[in-house]
Amino acid sequence: MPNNFKLKTAQTTASLADMYTATSVTTTIIGMTMANISASSVNASVKIIKSGGTDIYIVKDAPIAVGSSLVVVGGNQKVVLEDGDAIQIVSSVTATVEVSLSILEMS
């Protein structure tokens, strides 16, 4: 069973959009950071879309100040995604938040 570390990056939109979907693998999110790149404070959310389960928010409408970032997952906290689960991201204004997602895929 190979393990693959990967980095995914994206910019938010003003409506929930898929950032990553676990396909035929179990994935551990080992880090997720959202950085405000705009000249104004923004709010951001991260949602787990659970294949065959209940969708949940990890964080909802969290404020991110100008020049700041929000560590959604990191340190001792990890999130496991199973086959078909997805991570969605959104911010209050399109293209104002850049997101980095560090993952470990295990097939």
Side-chain angles (χ1 to χ4, degrees):
M1 231 198 288
N3 295 331
N4 297 306
F5 287 97
K6 294 185 178 181
L7 173 65
K8 304 292 183 179
T9 60
Q11 266 192 355
T12 57
T13 61
S15 59
L16 280 167
D18 287 349
M19 178 175 181
Y20 174 80
T21 301
T23 307
S24 300
V25 294
T26 297
T27 301
T28 301
I29 299 172
I30 56 178
M32 183 176 198
T33 303
M34 305 180 88
N36 181 352
I37 60 168
S38 73
S40 302
S41 181
V42 295
N43 294 333
S45 300
V46 177
K47 190 173 189 177
I48 295 177
I49 305 303
K50 183 73 178 138
S51 177
T54 303
D55 301 343
I56 62 161
Y57 282 93
I58 297 175
V59 63
K60 184 156 176 27
D61 297 326
I64 307 174
V66 175
S68 294
S69 62
L70 171 67
V71 177
V72 179
V73 178
N76 291 329
Q77 178 192 12
K78 309 294 182 267
V79 175
V80 174
L81 300 177
E82 297 173 310
D83 184 27
D85 295 350
I87 289 284
Q88 291 185 332
I89 57 174
V90 65
S91 63
S92 52
V93 181
T94 295
T96 56
V97 177
E98 290 182 340
V99 184
S100 64
L101 182 68
S102 298
I103 60 174
L104 173 60
E105 291 182 337
M106 298 161 284
S107 54

